[in-house]
Amino acid sequence: MPDTSKQHRIAALIVAAGRGVRAERPGPKQFEPLAGKTVLARTVEAFTGHPRINAVLVVIHRDDEPLYRQAAADHEKLLPPVFGGETRQASVLAGLEHLAQSPSIPDQVLIHDGARPFVCENLITAVCSAIRPDAGAIPVLAISETVKRAEAERVVETVSRSGLHLAQTPQGFDFTAILDAHRAAAADQTDLTDDDAVAAHAGLAVRTVCGDRRNIKLTDPDDFRYAEAMVSKSMETWTGQGFDVHALVPGDHVMLCGVKIPHTRGLKGHSDADAALHALTDALYGALGEGDIGHHFPPSDPNWRGADSAIFLREAIARLEARGGRINNLDVTVICEAPKIDPHREAMRQAIATIAGIDPRRVSVKGTTSERLGFAGRGEGVAALATATIQLPAL
Ligand code: MG
């Protein structure tokens, strides 16, 4: 059994005092929501939830205190925030000085960018484990691209990438060593962009650990689009089926799949009696688990007398969109002896695709007979079967 009584007391210092002007967002980027939770709240939770971290201190800009209060959830490890300085280096020093005044001064500290919300438990553990009294630890990534030096949009040099790495955070240090290094750097009026550089300035050794490509620093709008994709809930596939029948009565046309087909008879129904669109609408409600067409559009409602059945399908699709879903494909089979479906198949696909606002390749229309058997075989009515396959946010 490891002797846990000898475990170091480790604080996380999260720097979130920047103004985030590069992100082209309305406010500081660390307070932007990602799937309903701010970037900073996600970052803080990565550390408050880590078993090796004893305390978390966030350095914020004085103007952001109301935003911080909204973003930060109470946690026993989370200390009240402190205000930062003009530069990142000054903000880190403010945080370190605050920790140095606290009743339980940490043995070690991890210093992390507030705009890196995807820091994972394993990376935090790796940095904690690599810290030595005489050496800090930083996560780095090898560079896979060829590196160029350019001036005024002109390449002037290909830089050998041998030995080059990209530095990430959290960067971990012995607390007293990095506090002394920061005080010395401040006395020398340096403006260094990470704590490894501050450590180097003081002659403190730093080891590298393997970084994580997902641990990106959200800087520009593309980073935010990538981050939103990373946190958006995964989608799952749902299917639904539909079936409908309408009687053939005296008339001069039928509506099927939103297409008017001249015929010696017509379809009887409260609306335009488009059995195919009704079956498709039911298939969509089925996939959504939201009842059936009769529930949403009661035949007793005079609003739907003679109605264009495209209205029903559009309404089901509006529900799908409101749920954050999208259509994979729609497949409908029309069962009748007449009219023949085949000559109208492409027009029907196109009509359904237009109503649904999707690519016609996602729509299939098929026609069949019932071999002169049953009501369809006797020409008493038209039946339609449909399947809808959709993507919905995972439960
Ligand atoms: Mg119907």
Side-chain angles (χ1 to χ4, degrees):
M1 284 284 286
D3 183 2
T4 52
S5 66
K6 284 185 183 162
Q7 276 220 341
H8 294 294
R9 184 178 159 78
I10 308 177
L13 177 60
I14 297 172
V15 200
R19 309 319 295 147
V21 286
R22 278 179 297 174
E24 296 165 28
R25 314 294 286 200
K29 61 190 177 180
Q30 57 273 29
F31 295 103
E32 281 289 314
L34 278 180
K37 192 182 284 185
T38 65
V39 169
L40 184 58
R42 290 175 182 278
T43 307
V44 168
E45 282 174 19
F47 289 90
T48 53
H50 195 287
R52 297 277 297 271
I53 303 297
N54 303 98
V56 178
L57 177 66
V58 184
V59 185
I60 62 171
H61 192 280
R62 191 174 295 273
D63 296 347
D64 296 340
E65 198 177 5
L67 285 172
Y68 178 81
R69 277 209 216 94
Q70 280 178 12
D74 282 344
H75 194 285
E76 56 185 4
K77 293 183 188 175
L78 186 59
L79 306 172
V82 295
F83 298 136
E86 285 297 305
T87 63
R88 185 187 188 281
Q89 188 186 314
S91 293
V92 173
L93 178 57
L96 293 172
E97 293 287 9
H98 188 83
L99 287 171
Q101 300 301 317
S102 70
S104 48
I105 299 172
D107 303 307
Q108 298 174 339
V109 63
L110 300 193
I111 303 169
H112 186 70
D113 299 324
R116 289 188 195 266
F118 301 121
V119 56
C120 69
E121 182 173 348
N122 288 347
L123 185 63
I124 295 171
T125 304
V127 174
C128 289
S129 300
I131 301 170
R132 298 288 177 272
D134 58 351
I138 68 166
V140 296
L141 293 174
I143 299 173
S144 50
E145 290 90 347
T146 304
V147 180
K148 305 287 182 184
R149 189 186 310 281
E151 287 166 11
E153 297 183 7
R154 241 180 99 98
V155 174
V156 294
E157 185 190 358
T158 296
V159 181
S160 168
R161 67 183 178 217
S162 167
L164 288 186
H165 292 85
L166 301 172
Q168 297 188 323
T169 70
Q171 301 188 347
F173 305 91
D174 175 86
F175 180 75
T176 308
I178 196 67
L179 175 61
D180 289 347
H182 261 280
R183 284 173 174 167
D188 292 345
Q189 298 187 315
T190 60
D191 181 14
L192 301 169
T193 55
D194 80 346
D195 303 288
D196 167 62
V198 173
H201 182 79
L204 183 65
V206 174
R207 297 146 56 96
T208 62
V209 301
C210 188
D212 180 352
R213 294 206 179 271
R214 289 165 300 179
N215 179 30
I216 61 166
K217 185 175 181 181
L218 302 184
T219 305
D220 60 34
D222 275 348
D223 297 335
F224 272 84
R225 278 188 281 278
Y226 174 75
E228 273 151 21
M230 277 177 77
V231 297
S232 66
K233 287 187 81 176
S234 57
M235 304 290 272
E236 57 188 24
T237 304
W238 293 70
T239 59
Q241 61 171 9
F243 177 70
D244 196 32
V245 172
H246 280 270
L248 283 163
V249 293
D252 59 8
H253 75 276
V254 295
M255 287 298 294
L256 283 170
C257 301
V259 174
K260 185 176 181 178
I261 302 169
H263 191 44
T264 52
R265 314 197 67 191
L267 285 169
K268 182 185 176 191
H270 193 66
S271 63
D272 66 6
D274 189 329
L277 289 192
H278 295 180
L280 272 174
T281 304
D282 251 357
L284 271 171
Y285 282 129
L288 290 165
E290 294 196 19
D292 57 33
I293 190 171
H295 170 80
H296 292 272
F297 306 98
S300 55
D301 187 336
N303 272 335
W304 315 124
R305 191 184 302 277
D308 177 354
S309 294
I311 294 168
F312 309 144
L313 184 55
R314 275 198 206 100
E315 194 58 34
I317 287 164
R319 279 300 306 153
L320 170 73
E321 288 169 351
R323 296 260 303 267
R326 60 175 183 268
I327 293 170
N328 276 12
N329 73 302
L330 301 173
D331 183 24
V332 61
T333 302
V334 181
I335 305 160
C336 58
E337 297 295 328
K340 291 294 172 205
I341 299 303
D342 196 53
H344 306 286
R345 187 204 311 267
E346 280 311 309
M348 289 173 164
R349 281 181 87 189
Q350 191 61 57
I352 292 168
T354 302
I355 295 164
I358 57 176
D359 190 305
R361 290 173 296 180
R362 295 187 184 275
V363 181
S364 157
V365 174
K366 311 187 300 297
T368 188
T369 70
S370 60
E371 300 289 342
R372 301 187 179 279
L373 298 170
F375 70 85
R378 292 190 297 271
E380 295 167 7
V382 172
L385 286 164
T387 305
T389 308
I390 63 175
Q391 295 294 113
L392 284 176
L395 293 179

